Amino acid sequence: MMVVLHPRESRPANLMAHPRGLTLRSGDRPVLEQWARSRTRPHRQVQRARMLLGLADGRTLAAVGAAVGATHDTVASWRDRYLAEGLAGLEDRPRRGRPPVYTEADALVMWRTLRSAPPDGRTHWSVNLMARETGFSAARIHRWWREAGLQPHRVRTFKLSNDPHFEAKLRDVIAVLEKKGSPVS
């Protein structure tokens, strides 16, 4: 007997089964129906819920795949994952990718540096200054600061200037304000 393979099929055409049906676990149908109707859940989860509901209604893998825009192999994979893990199996798993370049220890170095006074008599830290001081990229520093909601350049407190004549200028400003009758505290 000669078995003919279709170019897109991983199994022989004459051995391909078209199983029907899926028995859902107790209490899962209302959850899946809610997911399938949802407009706020990620599309991939809505699609997975529709796949399982279609199988539970007795449709074939191919029919369900055509209805949701997926291959029958994809439908079979989600069916198998549901059977093995239940609703939790429909969640996305962490994907492989580039490992993180920066660690928590790197972030601690940056936070310790941020707590110290800026170099060269500067009044505050900037992203670029912190990057030069720590050796981390400015983009990484910016991400850490943004995640923490930190904007050191927007601190609304008074900062001393590094101007050598600052003290004299400050006295002049205070004297002008006192002459106008403005309260100076």
Side-chain angles (χ1 to χ4, degrees), residues 44-137:
R44 59 190 171 274
Q45 288 182 340
V46 171
Q47 188 180 37
R48 293 167 195 165
R50 289 178 180 166
M51 287 178 198
L52 295 177
L53 289 171
L55 291 173
D57 292 340
R59 296 168 63 200
T60 64
L61 294 173
V64 170
V68 299
T71 67
H72 66 279
D73 286 333
T74 300
V75 177
S77 295
W78 286 111
R79 177 201 58 202
D80 295 344
R81 215 159 117 178
Y82 170 76
L83 289 173
E85 302 173 35
L87 290 177
L90 302 181
E91 299 291 329
D92 286 336
R93 292 183 177 152
R95 295 179 181 219
R96 290 179 297 179
R98 183 177 177 187
V101 176
Y102 298 104
T103 64
E104 287 295 319
D106 293 331
L108 288 174
V109 167
M110 186 274 307
W111 291 118
R112 277 191 215 109
T113 305
L114 186 63
R115 287 187 198 110
S116 65
D120 303 328
R122 296 182 188 232
T123 58
H124 65 277
W125 286 102
S126 69
V127 168
N128 291 325
L129 179 61
M130 178 62 69
R132 279 193 301 271
E133 217 35 51
T134 60
F136 302 131
S137 72

Side-chain angles (χ1 to χ4, degrees), residues 154-158:
R154 289 190 171 180
V155 174
R156 295 183 184 258
T157 59
F158 183 77

Side-chain angles (χ1 to χ4, degrees), residues 1-81:
M1 176 172 118
M2 183 172 180
V3 176
V4 179
L5 289 176
H6 188 274
R8 291 188 180 166
E9 294 175 357
S10 58
R11 292 180 276 177
N14 60 350
L15 298 178
M16 210 164 226
H18 295 284
R20 289 184 180 265
L22 168 70
T23 303
L24 297 175
R25 295 176 183 191
S26 175
D28 284 356
R29 181 173 277 278
V31 174
L32 289 171
E33 288 173 346
Q34 181 183 9
W35 288 7
R37 288 188 313 267
S38 176
R39 295 194 179 270
T40 57
R41 279 197 164 278
H43 173 72
R44 59 190 171 274
Q45 288 182 340
V46 171
Q47 188 180 37
R48 293 167 195 165
R50 289 178 180 166
M51 287 178 198
L52 295 177
L53 289 171
L55 291 173
D57 292 340
R59 296 168 63 200
T60 64
L61 294 173
V64 170
V68 299
T71 67
H72 66 279
D73 286 333
T74 300
V75 177
S77 295
W78 286 111
R79 177 201 58 202
D80 295 344
R81 215 159 117 178

